[in-house]
Amino acid sequence: MTALPLPDAEDDVTRVTALRTQHGAGLLGLPRTGLRLSWSAESDDPSARLLGYQLASGPEGEEPVAADPVADPRTVGVAVPEALAPRERRAFAVRVATTNGWSPWSAPLVVEAGVDGSELEASVIGTDTPADGPVPLLRTEFELASAPRAARLRLSALGLVDAWINGVRATDAYLTPGWTSYQARILVDTLDVTSSLRPGVNVIVLAVADGWYRGSFGFARRQAIYGERTGALAQLEADGEVVAKTDASWRAGFGALRSASIYDGTATDLRLHDPAVHEPGFANDAWVAASVVDVDLVRFEPRSAPPVRVVAELPMTATAHGGRTRLDGGQNISGWVRLAVRGRAGDVVTVRHAEVLEPSGDLHVKALRSAKATDVYTLDRDGEHLLEPAFTFHGFRYAEVDGGEVVSATAIAISSDLAPRSTFRSSHEALDRFHSNVFWSQRDNFVSVPTDCPQRDERLGWTGDAQAFAATANTLMDAEAFWLSWLHDLEIDQTDEGGVPSVVPDIIRPQDMLMGGVQTPNMGRAGWADAATIVPLAVYESYGSTEVLTRQRDSMRRWVEHLRRRAGDDIVLGQDDFQYGDWLDPDAPGDQPWKAKVSSDFVANAFYAHSARLLARAERILGDPASAAEYDALADRVGAATFERWGEDAVLTQSGAAIALEFGLAPEERRVEIAAGLAENVRRENGRIATGFLGTPLVLFALSHNGYLDEAFLMLLRREAPSWLYQVDRGATTVWERWDAILPDGSIHSGAMDALPTEDASEDDTGMLSFNHYAYGAMIDWVYRTVAGFAPDADDPGYRTVHVAPRPAMGLDRAAASIQTPQGRLAIDWEVVDGVFEATLEVPFGSRALLDLPATADSEVTVDGAPAPAELRHGTHHVVVTAPAVARPAAVVPA
């Protein structure tokens, strides 16, 4: 980058906005090192250009000290060189240099540092209780001479923890501290509890549940995966002094929560709740001294990504069914039911959950497998009660209540608290609904980690689902911090040889994974383990910061080198390894979803070549051209050998052709022929999609990148099964795991067993039938890039350079979309009326838009009334294209 002289003048029409860190908004107690700042700017001068920036920082309340100006127009991922001190509150401000001069300083951003585990004075404490048994309460009292000016509670657990101070819940987060690779790191939340404290005696109560740490979890239903004992860690600091901390002086007992399981739900006996536990002077002879749990506090670290919170509350309708009350929230969610009921003391109220209903109207619970998804309450008095479970969540739209009189019900949706990043609407109602379905599937499955499903006895961080969906996830939500945290765990769970597990955090044992009754390796499966390379590049491309590549480069290298060692002198991977392949190909046997039409050996080696290519790209971005050349050469060798050995048969399938084209495996002289064959396949099948988890994210791109837009839209807009919109027509509100989870006659797919937790599992059990799996929703990335027309540039990422290439089609003649890019809001609203394409395009300051409009040889193209330039800068622009190109999917259907 050529250095530019920075101006001396002032620019009073440019403003810096949205100064932020990479950790998301609102977090306290951030990691002390690795802080990066980003910001957006706005300018009223359409000719202004960014030239550089200047940072200022200092202790909160003091005059900040300005650093030297930097001649660099970037606004994303600027590193703060000095580490923060423990508990430090440092204020940052930034101003930008433009071609007009220096903008005013931004409003200050105050960042509060956390405390590393080794610096905490508290111990982890607990009491004896069996796994999946009663939830312990831990309690202490302390005195304050006066109300503090500022107070912070450091909170974490081996398990899950809730905290109350003087009877007030200390946080709006749930499932704290969340799920990470607990053997190496456990997050610590920092909570502002200033308003909860009072002069005199104060009371802290903690509830500690098994959660992912010790509870029955995974499809093998193992207990104590990470440890035999649960415990809580809490340290309360008021005005810089530790005034309470978990240690052996705390008392331990039990309350109303008799069991709490993520899969099975909760059992609550309100008769055992004593509200006096939150009051000073509480005494109970059954309570005992808490015991210290031996654990290295180095494992505890400040939270770096948003916690799980309530993200929506949906009223549920109630109807009578079979002597019970049926509830419908109208939307499939992750969460629970908040239930108001009337009853009598001793009445038992049972709430069961399900995603769909059987044709008979009963709850469909077979797909839950062993997960009970049931909350049970025993009432303590006559009258009305407000009931909610704790330390659990369910995947459901419907619920059934047995016992009591339902007064009202609300579906409480939870998710990692990631801000929505984009909007989309179009003239095609079913496509809009599917877009909503994909958003909800992401929301429902981004619960601390990117899970496969939120309802059955699984809910694991499957790496294949994650990599397939990463690009779409980054468009729909501000997920950068979420991915950075999960990728950290991916690297932790890599083997010493570099193998990447199928799920992260990894809880699968060798004997757990049974495919058709045969033990199957969990490590290093193609298309799953390649999340190590695919997700970091997807994050970099969407958000524009090199942080993810810097942090993950070693993990990426270890994975590719692992593949190189496995291949040995043969260049390509052998044929003896089991592979998931193009999982859930709609034509695969129901009980063998790994048996796709395309060869799993082709798929495995295609992803090997792809990972090597992505690593080469990362090395080049990070300034190591020699390593980049080495890995590019490796990708070339593997790709050529893969196509030579398996390519001719593979490209006869949709997934094989799409992979060969999109991963660059097809020889240049064969690309036209292969693309034509793929398009002919789609035409012959009237748009029928025939891809599984790995081919689905690629097939529309393979068509449109090679000039077959008609066929791409034919596939996109198909309504018959299997297709995306078939699900919508069957009433789906999230994305299904199987293309035909509900059959055309309204019956529910049998979901044949594929991976049994035990040798003697019943063959009648439903193995794989989730109505909330985001993997097939990965095509929404194509919708934003092709229908809306927004794609970040590979070499100038984060939408700083954005390709604007909207493509209308018959049946899809209007669309509007927006993306909150690192530079600001990028938006388009286009329609085709009477043969004219018109669009309003909003480009943020700091971005440039490269135009690729749907023009034909007969078109006249104007922007703001003048001949269209090749690129646009910031501002709102009016675009007109006469005689536009319009895809005609119906025109390619065989007679």
Side-chain angles (χ1 to χ4, degrees):
M1 182 179 298
T2 303
L4 296 173
L6 300 179
D8 294 325
E10 299 297 322
D11 180 353
D12 59 3
V13 297
T14 298
R15 301 163 297 283
V16 176
T17 60
L19 179 59
R20 58 200 182 274
T21 76
Q22 78 269 40
H23 300 298
L27 281 186
L28 294 174
L30 297 178
R32 293 166 45 206
T33 59
L35 187 67
R36 291 177 180 256
L37 299 176
S38 300
W39 55 88
S40 306
E42 300 172 350
S43 182
D44 298 332
D45 181 356
S47 66
R49 301 289 183 269
L50 284 171
L51 301 177
Y53 64 87
Q54 185 176 27
L55 292 178
S57 65
E60 182 186 26
E62 297 183 11
E63 188 69 24
V65 176
D68 292 336
V70 179
D72 184 343
R74 66 176 168 156
T75 63
V76 175
V78 174
V80 174
E82 308 89 2
L84 302 175
R87 304 174 180 82
E88 178 184 358
R89 286 178 62 83
R90 189 182 298 178
F92 294 91
V94 66
R95 63 174 184 165
V96 295
T98 74
T99 46
N100 294 333
W102 284 101
S103 74
W105 288 97
S106 69
L109 170 70
V110 177
V111 173
E112 181 174 316
V115 179
D116 294 333
S118 59
E119 297 162 332
L120 292 169
E121 299 178 23
S123 302
V124 177
I125 63 170
T127 194
D128 291 337
T129 182
D132 295 325
V135 172
L137 298 178
L138 304 168
R139 183 184 185 280
T140 196
E141 298 181 9
F142 62 96
E143 288 197 49
L144 293 175
S146 59
R149 294 184 301 277
R152 300 289 186 265
L153 178 65
R154 320 283 177 191
L155 183 66
S156 190
L158 305 179
L160 302 177
V161 62
D162 269 348
W164 294 263
I165 297 179
N166 297 322
V168 177
R169 198 166 184 272
T171 176
D172 61 354
Y174 291 88
L175 305 176
T176 300
W179 191 14
T180 51
S181 293
Y182 290 136
Q183 75 275 15
R185 70 185 194 112
I186 304 170
L187 302 182
V188 177
D189 282 19
T190 295
L191 309 173
D192 183 350
V193 294
T194 308
S195 62
S196 298
L197 298 175
R198 62 198 181 200
V201 179
N202 292 260
V203 179
I204 302 179
V205 177
L206 309 176
V208 191
D210 294 321
W212 298 284
Y213 189 86
R214 194 183 67 159
S216 174
F217 203 70
F219 38 73
R221 294 304 297 256
R222 296 187 178 280
Q223 291 181 333
I225 292 172
Y226 292 99
E228 295 289 342
R229 294 198 64 192
T230 58
L233 177 74
Q235 182 166 302
L236 180 62
E237 303 164 9
D239 296 333
E241 178 185 353
V242 176
V243 296
K245 59 185 179 182
T246 44
D247 57 25
S249 69
W250 286 51
R251 304 290 291 175
F254 297 94
L257 199 53
R258 308 314 297 163
S259 66
S261 164
I262 288 177
Y263 288 161
D264 295 336
T266 61
T268 306
D269 189 340
L270 296 173
R271 297 171 300 183
L272 300 178
H273 173 62
D274 187 349
V277 73
H278 296 291
E279 298 297 328
F282 169 80
N284 187 319
D285 291 341
W287 284 52
V288 299
S291 57
V292 173
V293 181
D294 185 21
V295 58
D296 190 347
L297 293 186
V298 170
R299 287 162 61 184
F300 292 85
E301 64 179 46
R303 173 176 293 283
S304 58
V308 173
R309 291 192 173 100
V310 173
V311 293
E313 298 187 9
L314 309 174
M316 305 187 78
T317 59
T319 56
H321 179 79
R324 300 177 177 89
T325 301
R326 170 63 41 72
L327 303 175
D328 180 1
Q331 172 63 52
N332 201 11
I333 68 166
S334 288
W336 55 81
V337 176
R338 179 187 295 152
L339 185 67
V341 297
R342 291 190 189 95
R344 300 181 65 82
D347 283 356
V348 175
V349 178
T350 301
V351 185
R352 301 167 62 233
H353 304 78
E355 295 182 290
V356 298
L357 300 178
E358 298 280 2
S360 65
D362 294 332
L363 297 181
H364 174 73
V365 296
K366 192 175 182 181
L368 299 177
R369 300 193 301 219
S370 70
K372 296 177 182 175
T374 300
D375 298 318
V376 180
Y377 307 90
T378 303
L379 305 185
D380 62 333
R381 55 179 172 78
D382 297 350
E384 188 169 314
H385 298 71
L386 189 63
L387 307 176
E388 290 188 74
F391 303 120
T392 191
F393 64 95
H394 313 294
F396 73 102
R397 169 179 171 172
Y398 300 95
E400 185 176 84
V401 181
D402 185 14
E405 175 193 350
V406 174
V407 177
S408 65
T410 304
I412 305 299
I414 63 167
S415 181
S416 289
D417 192 13
L418 310 180
R421 194 185 185 203
S422 61
T423 63
F424 176 85
R425 68 180 189 277
S426 73
S427 58
H428 200 291
E429 184 178 351
L431 180 61
D432 290 1
R433 178 68 248 192
F434 191 75
H435 175 273
S436 173
N437 292 1
V438 176
F439 176 85
W440 271 102
S441 277
Q442 179 176 352
R443 173 177 269 182
D444 296 343
N445 280 292
F446 273 36
V447 179
S448 193
V449 301
T451 62
D452 59 322
C453 61
Q455 75 298 97
R456 67 188 180 213
D457 57 356
E458 200 161 344
R459 314 186 203 186
L460 303 176
W462 285 95
T463 46
D465 304 54
Q467 69 81 9
F469 190 68
T472 291
N474 293 331
T475 300
L476 293 177
M477 295 183 189
D478 185 0
E480 183 179 18
F482 179 89
W483 286 123
L484 286 169
S485 179
W486 183 74
L487 286 168
H488 189 177
D489 292 322
L490 182 149
E491 183 171 14
I492 288 169
D493 285 338
Q494 278 186 271
T495 64
D496 293 341
E497 296 79 24
V500 176
S502 297
V503 301
V504 173
D506 183 24
I507 64 166
I508 294 179
R509 304 295 180 261
Q511 61 270 35
D512 295 349
M513 188 79 82
L514 302 175
M515 296 294 174
V518 178
Q519 283 192 19
T520 303
N522 164 44
M523 288 288 173
R525 302 307 96 197
W528 272 249
D530 297 283
T533 54
I534 294 171
V535 175
L537 267 298
V539 172
Y540 166 74
E541 185 171 288
S542 191
Y543 300 105
S545 172
T546 59
E547 178 183 12
V548 65
L549 303 182
T550 301
R551 286 178 44 170
Q552 297 302 128
R553 175 158 57 172
D554 185 60
S555 170
M556 297 170 72
R557 286 174 171 172
R558 290 171 59 211
W559 167 237
V560 173
E561 290 302 325
H562 170 85
L563 291 171
R564 176 146 51 180
R565 285 192 299 273
R566 278 171 57 187
D569 295 337
D570 292 335
I571 301 178
V572 293
L573 299 170
Q575 302 178 50
D576 296 331
D577 288 345
F578 172 86
Q579 297 287 356
Y580 302 129
D582 193 29
W583 186 261
L584 277 176
D585 177 322
D587 301 312
D591 60 345
Q592 295 176 309
W594 57 89
K595 288 195 172 180
K597 294 182 292 294
V598 64
S599 161
S600 62
D601 294 312
F602 171 80
V603 171
N605 284 285
F607 273 87
Y608 174 16
H610 186 51
S611 276
R613 188 78 68 198
L614 292 174
L615 175 56
R617 183 180 169 201
E619 298 283 14
R620 190 170 293 109
I621 292 165
L622 296 177
D624 191 341
S627 290
E630 176 190 350
Y631 289 116
D632 268 332
L634 175 63
D636 289 343
R637 291 195 301 274
V638 175
T642 299
F643 193 86
E644 181 179 359
R645 189 171 300 188
W646 296 287
E648 296 300 336
D649 289 335
V651 299
L652 301 178
T653 69
Q654 288 183 9
S655 287
I659 290 170
L661 292 168
E662 287 301 293
F663 287 180
L665 306 182
E668 194 63 35
E669 65 274 13
R670 298 289 308 283
R671 289 184 63 86
V672 171
E673 172 196 344
I674 293 168
L678 173 60
E680 196 278 329
N681 176 299
V682 173
R683 291 193 298 271
R684 184 175 65 249
E685 298 292 338
N686 195 18
R688 179 184 185 271
I689 192 163
T691 55
F693 272 30
L694 299 184
T696 296
L698 304 173
V699 65
L700 293 178
F701 284 111
L703 291 166
S704 60
H705 286 163
N706 291 280
Y708 292 101
L709 265 176
D710 292 351
E711 289 79 2
F713 277 103
L714 178 66
M715 181 175 281
L716 174 72
L717 301 180
R718 175 182 166 92
R719 307 297 280 262
E720 299 82 10
S723 69
W724 289 287
L725 301 188
Y726 169 80
Q727 303 178 24
V728 173
D729 292 340
R730 301 307 308 177
T733 63
T734 45
V735 182
W736 296 346
E737 181 180 24
R738 291 181 179 269
W739 293 109
D740 56 351
I742 296 178
L743 301 175
D745 64 3
S747 62
I748 296 174
H749 196 290
S750 63
M753 294 299 289
D754 67 291
L756 306 183
T758 59
E759 297 281 357
D760 59 354
S762 168
E763 292 293 339
D764 293 329
D765 289 343
T766 297
M768 281 183 21
L769 192 60
S770 162
F771 294 88
N772 204 345
H773 252 69
Y774 52 55
Y776 286 144
M779 65 78 163
I780 288 297
D781 182 47
W782 184 89
V783 170
Y784 274 91
R785 291 171 184 249
T786 309
V787 179
F790 288 153
D793 186 80
D795 297 320
D796 192 17
Y799 299 92
R800 197 168 75 163
T801 293
V802 57
H803 296 263
V804 179
R807 294 295 184 261
M810 295 290 290
L812 190 53
D813 56 13
R814 186 176 71 254
S818 69
I819 300 174
Q820 193 63 34
T821 78
Q823 289 68 239
R825 185 174 186 266
L826 173 69
I828 193 169
D829 189 340
W830 64 257
E831 64 178 341
V832 177
V833 178
D834 296 332
V836 176
F837 172 94
E838 290 195 60
T840 300
L841 175 65
E842 182 181 340
V843 181
F845 184 52
S847 291
R848 65 180 186 132
L850 304 182
L851 300 183
D852 180 7
L853 299 171
T856 64
D858 299 323
S859 297
E860 179 183 352
V861 184
T862 60
V863 175
D864 301 329
E871 69 177 62
L872 295 175
R873 296 287 180 164
H874 69 279
T876 300
H877 306 280
H878 183 227
V879 178
V880 176
V881 180
T882 62
V886 177
R888 288 173 168 78
V892 299
V893 178

